[in-house]
Every structure is written in C-alpha cells, then in structure tokens.
Amino acid sequence: MKAIVPTAGNGTRLYPHTHTKPKPMVRLAGKPILGHILTNFRATKVDEIVVVVGGPMQNQVIEYAQENYSDRFELTFVEQESPQGLGHSIYQAESAVRGDSAVIALGDMLFQNGYRTFLEAHDALSNVDGSIGLKRVTEPHRYGIASVENGRITELVEKPVDPPSDLAISGVYVIEDTGHLFDSLEHLLEKNRRGAGGEYQLTDALNLMVSQGSVLGMFKVDDWYDCGRPKTLLEANRITLEQMGTGASETSEGNVIIEPVDVGTNVTINESVIGPYVSIDDGATIINSIVRDCIVGRNTTLRDATLTESLLGDNSTVEGEPNSLNIGDNSSISISQ
C-alpha cells in the first residue's frame, strides 16, 4: 500500500515560523510534524510514501524524509508547482499512485490514534471503494462535512454554509479505487470546478466519486490535532509528549524538570524550571528562566524569562519577563523592567 502526504501548502496560519520552513517541518515533541506522521506509518502495511512538495523550501522536506525514513519506506517526491488546493495537490501524485490502494494523510494533522488503527478499521469494512475518517464537531461549517446512511457516505461538501450533518472529515482517507479518484480530480481541473476558497478541493472529487457510484465507508476518529495553528500545535505538543512518556520529574543542578518534557542534544539548562509540556530543540540555552507549555526552537536562547504557551523559532533570543510569545526564527527580544 502507498501513502500520499501533501506538504506543499504555504502555512500562512503559522507565520512567522513558516517564513523559514515548510509547515510540516515545524517541530513539536522532539521532531518535525512530518516526522511524527512518517513514524506512525512504520507500524502499518504502507511500504511507499509519496510526498507532494512545493515552494522554495521543499528541499527541507526531501532531505529530512530521505535521511530519516529511507530505511523503512520507498520515498517518491512529486512537485506541486503552485498551491491550488488539496485536490490539486493530491492530483500531482497520479503517476506514482494510480492503480494502487492508498491512504492520504495530511501533512499538518496528527491523530491520537495511529494510522494502523485507521487501516484496520478500513479493512474491517466490506465492499467499499474507500473510506474516510469522520468525527462529530460543534462547528461543522468550518470543515468538510459528510452525510452518512447505514455506514455509507452519501454526500460530501466542503465548509458548507448550512451543514447537512456534524460529521467532519478528519484528514485521513483510504482509497482502493484510486483510478476513479484521479479521474474525478482531473474532471475538476479540466472543467475548472473550484470549490471553497477558490481552490480545487479533494472533498469535491470524493463527492463526485460518490455521485458516480463509488461506495465510500467511514471509520471513527476520536481526536485529531490541526498543527497548522499555534493553539492546536501546542495542544498536539502536549498530547504527544504525554504519549511518549518521557520520564519522571526531577530536580538537579539547580534545575527543576517537570515531565513530560523533550530535550534535544547539546542543550544547556541552568537555574531554571522546565515543564510540564515543553519541547526543546538541539543547541538551545535556557538560563534563570521558567518555561511551561512551550516549543523552543533550535539554538534558541532564553535568559531571565518566564514563558507559557509560547512558540519560539530557531536561533531566536528572549531576555526579560514576557509571558506568552509567538516569534519566528532569528528573532531577538529584550524586555527590561
């Protein structure tokens, strides 16, 4: 089985961090978002990953995947030259995937349950051409929405003004009839049928499949984390650190470490309280600071700072007494009292 992972979006909701790295390369709980996605595929029957890349920073994605996952997967990279929506992104994988069964996993989504659970749920369905993970939500107008009868999807619509149900598409899809999927995507592009946001929507292609007789089932998704926004990125960091079970809290050498915490290599921590829910990338320095519920970037320096619910990019410096920050790479902030 193959997996398609689209990574070519602009990541505007995570500015300023995505000015200097693709969204799937933003780090949480010890590795980039993309790393968590690919790691979760290790325990599945997926043997080839097709990564859709794009933009001037795509080499970061390619180099990271090749360096860390080429031992487990055959890796194929296809380029989306311009971002025109998720459907357009998936269509770029046609030459690598058509005719094979595939799971589509969005490059900014993490799940409390792994992909193995979803694939097992799909395999338990009978006589389907594919299946989609769904979850009930309180604001269905913000999502792609499915109507379901007797366990079969009857309609799909992206971000409807008047939602027909509260079953949201969660960002994981298993497709057996990939030929029909790519035919449907091609139809949207040829007819210039753009959907929500003026983009080619995967939801619209899947709905076209249903209208033409494809049988799509559904499986339950308990919780997902859209890592494309600062608030949910921090939430995903918290949940992932808890699942990692990083050890017991400790006090040593003037520091207090309150687990769960993930600390990279060559990190210096002096006279500080760290945790809970802190991810610290390689080469960071934290001195006389209190850091809780934060993601601290590579080679970042904190001195005399108290931080909570903050995202700090690589090579940034914070000195003083801020409470909550969202700063990108190579930033420097000094706050005097």
Side-chain angles (χ1 to χ4, degrees):
M1 174 173 257
K2 297 181 179 181
I4 306 172
V5 182
T7 70
N10 288 327
T12 55
R13 294 180 301 167
L14 269 181
Y15 284 166
H17 304 277
T18 47
H19 284 308
T20 54
K21 60 172 68 76
K23 180 168 53 176
M25 292 303 296
V26 173
R27 176 188 167 107
L28 68 108
K31 63 183 71 171
I33 298 167
L34 179 63
H36 291 284
I37 292 170
L38 298 186
T39 295
N40 284 336
F41 273 122
R42 285 189 179 274
T44 73
K45 59 185 177 181
V46 169
D47 52 19
E48 180 178 349
I49 307 284
V50 180
V51 186
V52 184
V53 298
M57 298 179 289
Q58 61 182 270
N59 282 342
Q60 293 184 37
V61 170
I62 295 170
E63 292 170 4
Y64 176 80
Q66 288 177 331
E67 182 177 346
N68 293 278
Y69 294 95
S70 59
D71 63 329
R72 169 61 178 83
F73 304 107
E74 179 182 347
L75 296 170
T76 300
F77 301 93
V78 296
E79 185 175 7
Q80 183 185 22
E81 293 184 356
S82 61
Q84 299 184 59
L86 179 58
H88 182 264
S89 177
I90 299 303
Y91 185 66
Q92 309 312 307
E94 179 184 18
S95 61
V97 176
R98 178 183 278 271
D100 297 309
S101 58
V103 54
I104 299 170
L106 303 192
D108 57 1
M109 303 291 285
L110 296 181
F111 299 91
Q112 195 160 16
N113 294 328
Y115 296 114
R116 181 175 179 177
T117 300
F118 300 145
L119 290 171
E120 289 174 348
H122 168 80
D123 290 341
L125 302 174
S126 59
N127 301 317
V128 296
D129 298 303
S131 62
I132 301 174
L134 302 178
K135 183 181 187 298
R136 295 193 183 277
V137 295
T138 57
E139 297 180 294
H141 62 279
R142 295 179 51 205
Y143 303 91
I145 294 296
S147 297
V148 178
E149 293 181 7
N150 300 318
R152 298 293 188 258
I153 293 173
T154 59
E155 183 184 23
L156 294 154
V157 58
E158 185 69 24
K159 296 182 177 64
V161 175
D162 185 17
S165 82
D166 61 354
L167 291 171
I169 300 171
S170 65
V172 58
Y173 316 74
V174 185
I175 307 297
E176 299 292 345
D177 189 357
T178 53
H180 197 179
L181 172 63
F182 287 116
D183 286 345
S184 298
L185 289 168
E186 184 175 38
H187 176 81
L188 296 183
L189 271 64
E190 286 183 345
K191 301 298 183 181
N192 196 28
R193 288 181 52 186
R194 296 175 183 264
E199 297 181 327
Y200 297 108
Q201 296 291 346
L202 176 60
T203 301
D204 294 340
L206 293 166
N207 188 58
L208 183 58
M209 288 177 64
V210 171
S211 70
Q212 293 177 343
S214 284
V215 178
L216 298 183
M218 55 84 64
F219 51 86
K220 180 181 178 182
V221 173
D222 291 325
D223 286 297
W224 83 77
Y225 306 97
D226 177 0
C227 298
R229 294 182 290 134
K231 180 178 179 180
T232 49
L233 182 66
L234 287 169
E235 183 180 9
N237 185 60
R238 290 192 292 270
I239 297 299
T240 306
L241 286 173
E242 287 182 345
Q243 292 176 335
M244 289 169 57
T246 50
S249 301
E250 62 181 61
T251 302
S252 62
E253 299 180 359
N255 298 315
V256 177
I257 308 297
I258 306 170
E259 298 288 353
V261 169
D262 179 81
V263 180
T265 60
N266 300 316
V267 172
T268 300
I269 303 174
N270 289 330
E271 303 294 330
S272 295
V273 179
I274 308 297
Y277 309 120
V278 175
S279 177
I280 305 173
D281 207 343
D282 301 342
T285 299
I286 302 176
I287 299 174
N288 193 33
S289 295
I290 300 173
V291 184
R292 177 174 60 85
D293 198 6
C294 293
I295 298 175
V296 179
R298 183 183 299 263
N299 299 322
T300 284
T301 297
L302 305 181
R303 189 183 302 271
D304 303 321
T306 300
L307 289 175
T308 184
E309 297 183 355
S310 297
L311 301 175
L312 307 178
D314 297 344
N315 304 299
S316 56
T317 299
V318 177
E319 297 182 351
E321 290 290 336
N323 181 58
S324 180
L325 291 173
N326 181 5
I327 62 173
D329 295 354
N330 304 301
S331 300
S332 181
I333 295 177
S334 178
I335 300 176
S336 59
Q337 293 182 328

